Amino acid sequence: MKTYKNIFTRLFSILLVLSMAVSCETIETDLTEDPNNLTPDEASLGALINSSQFGFNSFFQNLQFSLSQVTRMELMRISATYANQFTVDSFNGTWINAYANCLVELKQVKEIAAALETDDVNGNNIIALAQIMEAYTIVTLVDVFGDVPYSETLQGSGNLNPKRDLGEDVYAAARELLIDAIAKIDAGGSVDIPSDLFYDGDVQQWRALANSLLIKIAVSSRINNPSAADHANAVINNGGFISTNNDDFQFNYGLATDPESRHPLFTSQYVSGASIYMSNPFIRRMDGDPRFNYYFYQQDGPGGFEGREHGDTSPSVASEFRDITIHGLYPAGGMYNDGTTGPGQATDGAQGAGASIIMTNSFTQFLIAEAQLILNGSIGNARTALIDGVSASIDKVTNFQSGAIPSGAPEPSQADIDAYIADVGARYDSAGSDQERLDVIITEYYKSLWGNGIEIYNNFRRTSYPSDIAPSQDPTPGTFTNSMLYPAVYIQNNNNPDAVQKASVAEKVWWAEGTTFNLDF
């Protein structure tokens, strides 16, 4: 056992150096609390967990910004047509990161942790952490691309050309990973997690995340999964999901500049200088919302220049950059919109100490609201979850990096917040059908998802809501991006007969097959 572990320690140390060299994001953090108190195997394991989590965050962040463009949260401006907004090369890095970084390293984490088992202890908590991250990764790959390789992947030279698995089979595998992760945590007897950038080794928070992801999987697949209601209710009725903002699953950025640890949107708009036009439809949607001044910083002041319309491909105008609206305090760690004007600077706001918002208390409540309404037919329970979701979102946003808000800056009062929440309830109550109620739920979910384009991309394809989402500036934008084209790096390097490109972005992922609503606008 000792020889086996020492061999793997040396091997994984080499792999770690290589993987860190290609990581897309780095952050300032202590890899361990006290390296002098760790065995060599534990030190290697802790660093490997960190590396897998860096890669995981990069996977999330790169996808979420791209996906938010087709749903009007960020600006779609490369092309006025959906078919040409992204190419076969757009997600090469994301694909490599998922398969050659995240999933490989998570597999290694599980193997090392399994080797820690003795008669007295085990590595189950570490394995559970890896399984939960793996489940999120493979489900997201399906959500974006459709059928993807999974069951035959990560075998090294044993299989260099893995087949594609059906999306529903990958979803089922992810569900089993989550259920098994919860069982491993509940079994006890595990060594501590040596390092953890998300929850600092708190396995009960990882357990809550696993349950929230089980709800997400069930709700996402509800149209074509006959077991969706049973799966969702098994978690909703028993609790144990993310239910406080303190348990939110997010990646926190730092302040260091070498290596660069700040939120990527902060560095691109405050350090490099603003040059990213924002989406006018989303800015308008948030007008009058208590979260507006946290989401955006208006360099030109209220009523000034904002962004551009969906599908606007006109050339950038450098003289406009100092006036355009840019990402604010939440979640990019930028400037609170306090009424002052001027271009964003590297010393503004939270100075880049933002966060990747991956799965939260608020998101969980919106998913529960949809499950209660559509799967259970409970209008009242859905309303309760809706209000809880809105309240949790506003509380999270208005308390985010509050020390970066200038003294005396106008912030929403409790009366403002209460009035907004009351209006949400009134709109829900006045809805005349379950679909109209679902529209209210998804619209409010949409507004809470700033910084997470993955979930709204899923919601829009599953429900077609928000119903009032702005049309493209081009009256004929073509078929909506129901899924992304497979990356060229996969098609060109996998010799399996099924590694062929899909016909077009019109191809729907498995859980959206059969939907008939029109998204082509």
Side-chain angles (χ1 to χ4, degrees):
M1 179 74 73
K2 182 176 181 180
T3 300
Y4 171 85
K5 288 165 64 179
N6 288 340
I7 290 172
F8 271 83
T9 296
R10 290 194 293 272
L11 173 61
F12 292 147
S13 295
I14 294 171
L15 289 170
L16 174 62
V17 171
L18 293 175
S19 65
M20 290 291 280
V22 299
S23 291
C24 296
E25 304 292 347
T26 54
I27 25 187
E28 176 189 29
T29 182
D30 292 327
L31 297 183
T32 59
E33 290 187 12
D34 184 358
N36 295 323
N37 290 336
L38 298 174
T39 67
D41 288 335
E42 289 170 332
S44 173
L45 178 59
L48 187 60
I49 292 170
N50 280 354
S51 180
S52 70
Q53 292 182 333
F54 284 133
F56 178 90
N57 177 63
S58 178
F59 169 76
F60 167 82
Q61 194 59 246
N62 291 339
L63 273 181
Q64 80 81 17
F65 187 79
S66 296
L67 300 180
S68 65
Q69 294 169 29
V70 295
T71 56
R72 289 73 161 169
M73 186 173 280
E74 297 286 359
L75 181 63
M76 187 178 92
R77 64 171 314 228
I78 294 176
S79 173
T81 60
Y82 292 111
N84 297 313
Q85 172 66 14
F86 301 107
T87 72
V88 294
D89 294 316
S90 296
F91 298 102
N92 281 337
T94 301
W95 190 272
I96 292 170
N97 189 20
Y99 285 103
N101 186 5
C102 297
L103 293 176
V104 167
E105 291 181 343
L106 292 172
K107 179 175 183 284
Q108 294 166 355
V109 167
K110 291 188 291 184
E111 290 172 343
I112 298 177
L116 297 176
E117 185 167 357
T118 68
D119 292 339
D120 301 315
V121 298
N122 59 64
N124 281 351
N125 287 350
I126 300 168
I127 296 172
L129 171 153
Q131 289 184 181
I132 295 166
M133 292 172 61
E134 178 181 348
Y136 182 93
T137 302
I138 62 177
V139 161
T140 303
L141 286 168
V142 170
D143 291 343
V144 176
F145 299 107
D147 300 342
V148 294
Y150 178 63
S151 63
E152 293 183 355
T153 60
L154 312 182
Q155 297 177 16
S157 59
N159 188 347
L160 298 176
N161 302 294
K163 70 172 184 178
R164 280 209 289 256
D165 294 281
L166 295 175
E168 54 261 49
D169 292 340
V170 178
Y171 255 61
R175 184 171 183 274
E176 291 305 313
L177 283 170
L178 294 169
I179 291 172
D180 185 65
I182 292 170
K184 280 181 165 58
I185 292 171
D186 291 346
S190 176
V191 298
D192 292 336
I193 299 171
S195 186
D196 176 10
L197 302 177
F198 286 102
Y199 285 135
D200 197 25
D202 189 324
V203 294
Q204 292 308 309
Q205 290 183 305
W206 281 103
R207 188 184 190 281
L209 170 62
N211 275 315
S212 285
L213 293 179
L214 285 170
I215 298 173
K216 165 183 155 72
I217 287 174
V219 174
S220 291
S221 64
R222 64 172 175 79
I223 294 172
N224 291 316
N225 177 5
S227 300
D230 290 341
H231 292 169
N233 288 329
V235 182
I236 294 170
N237 294 338
N238 289 323
F241 43 80
I242 297 175
S243 57
T244 71
N245 290 355
N246 290 334
D247 290 338
D248 287 353
F249 185 55
Q250 63 185 52
F251 186 93
N252 295 318
Y253 291 90
L255 297 173
T257 58
D258 186 20
E260 181 58 70
S261 74
R262 294 167 293 185
H263 195 290
L265 286 171
F266 181 87
T267 60
S268 65
Q269 293 186 294
Y270 290 80
V271 179
S272 301
S275 61
I276 300 175
Y277 288 95
M278 298 187 70
S279 170
N280 276 343
F282 190 70
I283 295 173
R284 287 195 297 270
R285 183 175 294 278
M286 296 305 300
D287 188 30
D289 189 289
R291 293 161 289 193
F292 183 94
N293 289 331
Y294 300 84
Y295 282 11
F296 314 111
Y297 173 56
Q298 297 170 298
Q299 296 182 117
D300 197 31
F305 196 99
E306 294 181 341
R308 290 187 173 179
E309 298 303 317
H310 184 64
D312 184 344
T313 62
S314 56
S316 297
V317 180
S319 61
E320 294 176 347
F321 292 164
R322 71 171 306 281
D323 297 327
I324 60 176
T325 294
I326 60 178
H327 292 76
L329 179 60
Y330 180 91
M335 183 77 169
Y336 180 76
N337 196 46
D338 63 348
T340 59
T341 60
Q345 304 289 332
T347 55
D348 283 346
Q351 300 177 45
S356 294
I357 311 298
I358 305 172
M359 179 53 63
T360 69
N361 173 26
S362 172
F363 300 173
T364 303
Q365 289 301 320
F366 287 117
L367 289 166
I368 291 173
E370 182 174 346
Q372 293 286 16
L373 180 67
I374 302 301
L375 296 177
N376 297 336
S378 177
I379 296 173
N381 287 343
R383 187 188 194 280
T384 298
L386 164 65
I387 297 303
D388 287 347
V390 174
S391 299
S393 173
I394 294 175
D395 182 64
K396 180 179 183 65
V397 172
T398 57
N399 285 286
F400 186 81
Q401 296 288 26
S402 57
I405 299 175
S407 177
E411 294 185 72
S413 66
Q414 189 59 52
D416 295 330
I417 294 171
D418 291 344
Y420 180 84
I421 294 173
D423 179 69
V424 172
R427 284 189 281 118
Y428 182 85
D429 293 340
S430 65
S433 68
D434 281 350
Q435 284 303 307
E436 290 181 1
R437 295 181 189 97
L438 182 60
D439 192 2
V440 175
I441 292 170
I442 298 300
T443 298
E444 291 306 315
Y445 194 1
Y446 182 64
K447 296 176 76 172
S448 79
L449 281 167
W450 186 228
N452 187 324
I454 294 173
E455 299 307 322
I456 189 56
Y457 183 54
N458 292 345
N459 294 349
F460 189 53
R461 291 176 296 162
R462 185 178 66 252
T463 69
S464 78
Y465 302 134
S467 61
D468 62 347
I469 201 163
S472 177
Q473 189 176 61
D474 187 328
T476 57
T479 302
F480 182 75
T481 311
N482 288 294
S483 66
M484 296 295 172
L485 295 175
Y486 288 111
V489 68
Y490 162 58
I491 298 298
Q492 295 170 2
N493 293 289
N494 187 313
N495 294 321
N496 194 291
D498 69 5
V500 294
Q501 188 58 266
K502 64 185 65 172
S504 74
V505 297
E507 186 174 308
K508 296 178 180 179
V509 299
W510 77 277
W511 47 256
E513 291 174 355
T515 55
T516 58
F517 36 70
N518 177 35
L519 305 180
D520 307 338
F521 58 90

